[in-house]
Amino acid sequence: MSARVLNGTLVAEVIRQGVAARVGELAARGIRPGLAVVLVGENPASRVYVGSKVRTCEALGLYSEKIELPVETTTEQLLGLVVELNERDDIDGILIQLPLPPQIETRRILEAIDPAKDVDGFHAVNVGRLVRGEEGLVPCTPAGVIEMLDHYGIDIAGANAVVIGRSDIVGKPMALLLLHRHATVTICHSRTRDLAAEVSRADIVIAAIGRAAMVTGEFIREGAVVVDVGMNRATTAEEVRRIFGDAEQAARLEEVARRGYTLVGDVEPRTVGEKAAWLSPVPGGVGPLTIAMLMKNTLRAAEARR
Ligand code: GUN
């Protein structure tokens, strides 16, 4: 069997169209949702993400403001900016791009954001609401995974769902969202005694560990749904040949030669694709959904606030 593709690029486009339509309705009432994106320092990956977030806002008719601060910015300075953004009526969403430089106390910054403008869903108030199953702003990546499963009509209620990874950004909120949709949820992590045994019982597998191609076909039950949240880089021809099947190798090797790397998920597509019923690719799976959901969260924040 060869897995069917969970096409995140397509689902993200559907989400963006829905957001653009509602932004148009708000515009008729004189309201334009606004997102502030804050980048501290020079992390090249962060710079790419921030650019992409701002461009997507522009494409959908949202107002956006990119604020760039030097790498030596202090916690107090960044807190000052957050307070300013909290008070501005034209800003509905505040996104502080992570990771922040080491001298900045990340938790204090995230807790200073007005929960009503916390479009990342990282504030303790929004985390608390998520735990309780109350309305609130939910982290973009796990919320996007749920949208993708729904788009393809995959049943969550009653399913055995295994989330691999326990991060605050993906693993924990992912597990809670699946639980609220009535899945039986297991969270696995680096200290899980028998990962293969846990994953082999799963109807739905969410891989969010951050290790290239760690989940192989041997872990996967025949017919499972596998969502790959990983974003890793493969840099050697040897790695590429191990991870990708014949059909994909040539293009991937060419990419490594050209750019020095190719993007690899936490799932080994060659072997998992033979067992799973559905698999999200990397790139083109969960990645595009994250920014689409950020737009949706900004819209929701605007609708709730104004
Ligand atoms: N860095 C990597 N992922 C994220 C995210 O979802 N939100 C923010 N703010 N920073 C990130």
Side-chain angles (χ1 to χ4, degrees), residues 233-236 252-262:
R233 291 178 174 197
T235 55
T236 68
R252 294 288 190 155
L253 288 168
E254 187 275 326
E255 212 184 352
V256 170
R258 183 163 43 85
R259 302 204 290 187
Y261 71 93
T262 185

Side-chain angles (χ1 to χ4, degrees), residues 37-38 46 49 53 94-99 110 119-120 122 139-142 169-170 290 294:
V37 184
V38 181
S46 288
Y49 291 136
K53 287 166 185 176
I94 302 170
L95 184 134
I96 310 287
Q97 187 65 33
L98 302 179
L110 298 181
V119 285
D120 261 326
F122 295 165
C140 301
T141 301
I169 295 185
V170 181
T290 299
L294 174 65

